[in-house]
Amino acid sequence: MTSPHPSATGATTRRTRTRVALVVYAVVATVIVTAAVASSIQRAGVSPGLRTKATLIAPAAAGGGWDTFMRESQNAMRENDVATNVQVLNVPGAAGTIGLTSLERREGEAGTAMVGGTGLVAGVEQLDSAVTLSDVTPIARVVEEYDVIVVPGDSPYETLDDLVRAWRKDPGKVPFTGGGSFDQLVMAELALSAGIDPADVSYIPASGGGEVAQSLVTETAAAAASGFPDVDDQIESGRLRALGLVAEEPLDGVDIPTLPSLGYDVTLTNWRAVFGPPDISADEAEEMREVYEEIVATEEWESAVSRNQWTDVWLDGEDFREFLAEEEARVAELYEELDL
């Protein structure tokens, strides 16, 4: 066997060393360039927040109210160049508390925002969640939607007073249904306003507006508290009859009396708000607020508000934090009344 020529061996060694040197040079250059870009961004005052790479968490499966809120946010951001890279991340489960835990673990990630609301306050209370809304950063309340009290279209209850009279007589024999924990709280608040112990009421949870309508039509339940957008088509068709809207003021174009106008002090609304992770800076939280201020001023968002039958209820800063504390106390009291 012939040994390689010494000059050939030397050339091979030199080529190997050259390749290694080039690889090392490329790695070092990449690190230097990356650091320079990061430094340049910092000098320019641009934070890696919602404007540059946004992750919008919907703490529920696709298709629900929280998901819709974030999909509409994503659309408004993209169509108006508010952000360059926006994704919606669904983190469903446990009445939103799994999504809340996910947000809490993204400490300092200013490019992440999550939607929450009354249902999440209820989920934290009902499940005694280890992570609460005080563990994340409140940004702003944005919109709210309203529940409606409905019965089957052929129900003997023509008015809310008719329903309440039968309910008072035997609460267990007038079963209610609803699409989630928020609807149950509305039912509890109505019971209290009517002088009925919420713990005596029979409540059958449903998975959404379709199942609520089905439970009423099949007489599994006698009445329901449900999100108005979830059942408005059923009301319009006559399959369901609306007895009262859970809102302080009438809705434009909606011919349903409000519960306060009927003498029932029930005003719990299903609000939607934006939250950031813990430990973001004041400037980063302000950027989140500014991004959503821009979103709600767009034509796309105005269309979304109309299409989803939302109402604009912008609230931020200390006023929002005070509102949040009041809602947490209110929901806790209602759960105590329900004896859950």
Side-chain angles (χ1 to χ4, degrees):
M1 186 173 181
T2 306
S3 299
H5 193 278
S7 61
T9 301
T12 300
T13 302
R14 286 193 298 275
R15 284 196 297 271
T16 300
R17 288 173 178 169
T18 299
R19 290 194 190 99
V20 171
L22 287 171
V23 170
V24 171
Y25 173 80
V27 170
V28 172
T30 300
V31 171
I32 291 172
V33 169
T34 301
V37 169
S39 176
S40 176
I41 288 173
Q42 288 175 350
R43 286 195 303 271
V46 179
S47 64
L50 290 184
R51 295 188 188 281
T52 50
K53 187 176 181 182
T55 298
L56 307 179
I57 297 177
W66 287 334
D67 177 69
T68 299
F69 180 94
M70 280 316 199
R71 301 280 170 190
E72 298 286 12
S73 298
Q74 179 188 49
N75 180 58
M77 291 169 80
R78 285 176 171 172
E79 292 298 317
N80 295 277
D81 296 324
V82 175
T84 56
N85 185 356
V86 191
Q87 66 164 338
V88 175
L89 176 64
N90 293 94
V91 186
T97 58
I98 293 178
L100 179 61
T101 299
S102 175
L103 182 69
E104 189 266 342
R105 289 175 178 169
R106 291 170 176 255
E107 184 178 327
E109 294 185 19
T112 302
M114 190 189 80
V115 61
T118 327
L120 184 55
V121 174
V124 168
E125 178 67 28
Q126 185 178 18
L127 301 176
D128 194 23
S129 173
V131 178
T132 71
L133 290 172
S134 64
D135 295 315
V136 296
T137 305
I139 303 298
R141 186 187 67 184
V142 184
V143 296
E144 66 185 8
E145 67 179 47
Y146 307 116
D147 257 21
V148 63
I149 306 301
V150 290
V151 294
D154 59 357
S155 170
Y157 309 126
E158 296 282 346
T159 67
L160 187 57
D161 283 341
D162 291 341
L163 172 64
V164 168
R165 275 192 291 270
W167 205 20
R168 283 184 182 135
K169 188 175 180 181
D170 194 339
K173 288 189 177 179
V174 184
F176 264 70
T177 186
S181 55
F182 173 75
D183 297 333
Q184 187 175 14
L185 292 177
V186 170
M187 180 275 299
E189 196 165 51
L190 175 58
L192 288 170
S193 182
I196 299 167
D197 186 346
D200 293 338
V201 176
S202 175
Y203 181 80
I204 305 164
S207 62
E211 192 173 321
V212 165
Q214 188 65 21
S215 295
L216 292 174
V217 171
T218 59
E219 299 183 354
T220 303
S226 180
F228 179 53
D230 295 336
V231 294
D232 65 330
D233 57 336
Q234 303 286 338
I235 295 169
E236 189 174 343
S237 71
R239 197 174 183 215
L240 299 182
R241 178 187 301 145
L243 302 184
L245 189 69
V246 186
E248 292 192 35
E249 300 293 337
L251 284 182
D252 290 340
V254 177
D255 188 23
I256 303 173
T258 66
L259 265 65
S261 73
L262 296 172
Y264 299 92
D265 186 19
V266 184
T267 56
L268 192 67
T269 64
N270 200 357
W271 48 269
R272 311 262 194 262
V274 178
F275 298 87
D279 294 335
I280 59 175
S281 70
D283 287 345
E284 289 166 337
E286 176 64 12
E287 182 190 52
M288 282 191 184
R289 189 190 65 78
E290 289 175 353
V291 164
Y292 263 88
E293 274 195 325
E294 289 182 38
I295 289 172
V296 300
T298 65
E299 290 183 5
E300 286 76 13
W301 189 259
E302 289 179 10
S303 175
V305 168
S306 175
R307 185 171 57 255
N308 294 293
Q309 296 169 318
W310 294 336
T311 298
D312 288 311
V313 287
W314 182 272
L315 192 69
D316 61 21
E318 188 59 32
D319 289 341
F320 176 45
R321 285 187 284 273
E322 289 178 5
F323 167 81
L324 189 55
E326 290 168 1
E327 287 290 278
E328 289 173 321
R330 183 180 184 181
V331 167
E333 288 174 7
L334 286 172
Y335 271 116
E336 191 171 328
E337 293 286 352
L338 284 165
D339 196 25
L340 292 177

